[in-house]
Amino acid sequence: GDSSTFVWDVNRTGATGRLTTSNEINRRVDNPYVITSISDNQFNTTPQEASESVGEPLHEFLNSETTLGLAWLPGSPSCLAAATGVKWLRIYDLRENLNAPKSVVAHAKAVNGVCFDKYDINRMAIYSEDAFVKIWDIRKLVANTPVLTINTGAMKGIQQIDW
């Protein structure tokens, strides 16, 4: 099937969109079975039916593009950086038109992931199957202009990094 990225608000569920309490979430997640007493020493467990559906996502983007990594921008809680399987780094502002993200062809192969510098909210690193790690300043996101490019020489590409 087609690939897409969806965003839900986990504090809202079902068609009503009402806020869900943490007790309701814990009951659904932590107690998926109903326990009934048969006698003093015996109990019966039966699966609990979901009381509410998850509902529709708030946002859908990257249609027909595989998302390999996601990270919320540290200084912008409504912005999401997406690493794609087709060389792109995209930054979406969920308050804006999702059809026009900031985008840059970032690597020669799939962009496997993105992570942000813990000490500078404008600096991020992206890594790829092409064995390069590229450091970007998100304020100056222009094709072929990373702040730094590191050739790791990894034969199978890079699967994970951290600051």
Side-chain angles (χ1 to χ4, degrees):
D2 288 339
S3 300
S4 291
T5 298
F6 298 95
V7 177
W8 281 272
D9 182 345
V10 297
N11 294 312
R12 298 183 188 275
T13 61
T16 64
R18 70 176 178 82
L19 287 174
T20 304
T21 67
S22 61
N23 286 341
E24 288 175 309
I25 292 171
N26 290 337
R27 179 176 41 81
R28 283 198 302 266
V29 173
D30 295 335
N31 300 321
Y33 291 89
V34 175
I35 300 173
T36 54
S37 176
I38 297 174
S39 68
D40 288 340
N41 296 348
Q42 292 182 321
F43 296 91
N44 188 21
T45 60
T46 55
Q48 179 178 347
E49 294 295 321
S51 60
E52 231 177 306
S53 66
V54 173
E56 295 295 317
L58 293 177
H59 304 285
E60 177 183 359
F61 49 93
L62 288 166
N63 297 333
S64 300
E65 245 181 290
T66 302
T67 303
L68 299 176
L70 290 171
W72 293 103
L73 275 65
S76 303
S78 64
C79 294
L80 191 60
T84 75
V86 288
K87 309 177 199 177
W88 288 93
L89 170 66
R90 301 187 190 278
I91 297 180
Y92 291 88
D93 186 336
L94 300 180
R95 301 167 298 181
E96 303 290 328
N97 178 1
L98 295 179
N99 293 323
K102 287 184 184 178
S103 299
V104 62
V105 174
H107 283 276
K109 293 185 177 182
V111 181
N112 290 341
V114 57
C115 70
F116 282 88
D117 186 335
K118 296 173 179 130
Y119 303 104
D120 183 345
I121 62 173
N122 294 306
R123 190 169 40 212
M124 70 177 158
I126 59 174
Y127 49 99
S128 172
E129 290 179 0
D130 65 9
F132 288 94
V133 174
K134 294 184 179 182
I135 311 298
W136 296 82
D137 183 329
I138 61 170
R139 297 168 296 188
K140 302 171 189 168
L141 198 62
V142 181
N144 298 320
T145 58
V147 174
L148 177 66
T149 299
I150 303 165
N151 183 352
T152 66
M155 298 301 285
K156 294 184 179 180
I158 302 164
Q159 299 305 312
Q160 186 174 2
I161 62 172
D162 197 5
W163 288 94

